[in-house]
Amino acid sequence: MSTVKVAITMDEKLLKNLDQLVKNHLFENRSRAIQEAVSEKMARLEKSRLVRECAKLDRAFEQTMAEEGMTAGAEEWPEY
């Protein structure tokens, strides 16, 4: 995967904390720490979006559809 250089502005205290993590070898460098932080945040946002979308589903309707799907055509399933 190719990478692109970006510039960011950061609070000095936050930067000092970040540098301490790098110094303590929790991250290889600042860039890696920021990449991981952004990646984790994006994953959490995606997960919360999925949770919101799932909350819109009608549980009883979905259960009925799943049960119908399991019985429909079951006689055509191969023997194992």
Side-chain angles (χ1 to χ4, degrees):
M1 174 174 58
S2 65
T3 59
V4 178
K5 189 173 280 209
V6 298
I8 64 169
T9 303
M10 185 180 292
D11 179 77
E12 283 186 49
K13 184 178 179 183
L14 183 58
L15 182 59
K16 285 179 184 179
N17 290 340
L18 176 63
D19 285 340
Q20 189 63 46
L21 294 174
V22 173
K23 183 179 178 181
N24 292 338
H25 305 288
L26 276 105
F27 296 99
E28 180 180 340
N29 53 44
R30 288 176 174 175
S31 291
R32 190 70 200 139
I34 293 168
Q35 286 174 12
E36 288 188 32
V38 171
S39 180
E40 287 178 20
K41 180 64 175 183
M42 292 177 80
R44 281 195 305 268
L45 289 171
E46 182 62 24
K47 183 178 178 181
S48 67
R49 186 188 69 79
L50 179 60
V51 168
R52 285 192 308 273
E53 292 301 316
C54 287
K56 295 175 185 178
L57 297 174
D58 179 341
R59 188 177 183 128
F61 175 76
E62 296 297 327
Q63 182 69 40
T64 301
M65 292 296 291
E67 290 169 356
E68 285 178 10
M70 291 298 291
T71 58
E75 61 280 350
E76 298 174 12
W77 293 1
E79 290 287 327
Y80 290 103

